[in-house]
Amino acid sequence: MSVKDIISKICPSATFEEGEILLANVPAGDWRRLAEALKSNPDLNYDVLSAVVGMDWKDSLGVVYYFTCTSRNWEMLTVKVAVADRENPYIHTVSDLWKVANFQEREVYDFFGIKFIGHPDMRRFFLRNDWKGFPLRKDYDADPKLNPIPESDEKNEDNTMSYVEDAEGLIKAIPSKVFEEHDYVMNIGPQHPSTHGVMRFRVALNGEEVKKIDVVSGYIHRGIEKLCEGLGYPQLLHFTDRMDYMSAHQNRHCLCACIEKALGLQVPDRAVVIRTIMDELMRISSHLLAFGCTAMDLGATTAFFYGFREREMVLNIFEKTCGARMSMNYNVIGGVIADLHPDFVKDVKEFLEVMPKALKEYHTVFSGNIIAKNRLHVGKMTKEEAINYAITGPSGRGSGWSNDCRKKHPYAAYDRVEFEEVLEEGCDSYARYMVRMREIEQSCKIIAQLIDNIPEGDIRAQVPKVVKLPAGHWYTQVEASRGTFGVYIESDGSKNPYRVHFQSPCFNLVGVMDLTCKGHMIADVITIGAALDFVIPDIDR
């Protein structure tokens, strides 16, 4: 029996749209029953919730869910759930089925005002709780007279709310507290350098032991997804370099690939190979920074400078071809914006000669150091927990979960190179650290196979001066430096996107801080955060 037939049997009211990914439209009243079946029915078994996209279709509000079944060759399913009531929109939560939905649903509530029945903590996530209105709704009025910028300091949000449906279908608001009455709560951030950016954690302590972590985000939220709605497609691209700036090439690659898929555009083979090499150089650069920052957060400042020494070589390579060292703006719709610098192949080969020796030095100085090993054996996260929280990338693979997009859904030139997906079974911070170290070796291996085989030819396809996507929706994923990065685009056929959503891996990573830090010492919070390696602008989109 097909997935479509099984869903029809469970939910006869569902309607379907065929496409690259099967889409099921499900009434809000039937959603919870179907969600439980998607998770528990062995013939469905969608164990990963890959993306949660809030939507305003003007006549209704709703959510688009993307699910993945890892046991059926990473098959994906899309489910749309909509409600017509704009004053009090309610949808049942799935945060108890897929833990990753906890923060994802709070984001949807924050920007669309959809309340999730059964969610334990219905607070805003990025905006202040006293913010008026929901900015990603189509009828949102940003007039400062209606919604003036608050002049008072933001208060700690100690009160929260959950919505419970009784047997008669009535929904009641149940107030509760974020922390227990006598909890001792310590503040970490948002200025603390070891939070890896402008992130704040409110930490309840029992002595020096962590009892609970409440993540407070939004200090640098820029409203990128809202800005996208007023821009043409080529104008969207620069945003991706400025989210996870250590995944700049991969993120921009993903957005371009999503637009190209919608246009049915064939990217020239030279650009395909160049994109792949740049993505892997970006991954190495990111992992070198992660190595250096992890070492520095533990007090090993010498190792920090070692990592930056080799990373400087990668940035020099980027600068020659792209004209910039961080916000490269290199991928464009249809290919890349400029051809490779004449020194590119020579410089890359020199770098590939240096890295094996450098990695041995890193392992001597830091990886094998008894203090580093003792400090990093914290932050346990089982394989099952990694799947439930959708922790992809090195952090998920450090828990033994095979989830590499380059292997599961090969794209660019990844189907023509040989490399290993690096897995570690330690399930702790040291395992996550070692995955990154070993992935540097694999990235070098990928680049070595491509660097002498860059095809001749065009660097980009012909693209219309005014890019208009046909009406519809598309979702694309790539393997960014910190995990699966996804782009959702919905088009109404005009030159501006109707909706763009960036599904960032770092948003999921910060979602396991409470899970991985609970029961550890306060000093371990910094270590665990460093090994998870989240980048704050990727969260505060």
Side-chain angles (χ1 to χ4, degrees), residues 184 186 188 203-213 373-382 385 426-430 432 512-529 531-532:
Y184 179 81
M186 179 180 178
I188 299 178
V203 185
L205 295 171
N206 182 12
E208 286 190 56
E209 186 178 294
V210 176
K211 186 178 177 183
K212 180 179 180 178
I213 288 185
K373 290 178 102 168
N374 287 342
R375 287 288 309 277
L376 282 164
H377 282 307
V378 293
K380 283 283 184 180
M381 177 172 57
T382 66
E385 288 169 336
C427 301
D428 61 9
S429 295
Y430 190 75
R432 290 163 213 144
V512 294
M513 279 298 286
D514 181 57
L515 170 76
T516 52
C517 293
K518 198 175 291 183
H520 287 297
M521 306 296 279
I522 185 66
D524 295 327
V525 172
I526 304 305
T527 303
I528 294 166
L532 288 170

Side-chain angles (χ1 to χ4, degrees), residues 358-374:
L359 281 167
K360 287 181 182 177
E361 194 170 29
Y362 302 163
H363 293 316
T364 300
V365 170
F366 186 76
S367 308
N369 184 290
I370 189 65
I371 298 173
K373 290 178 102 168
N374 287 342

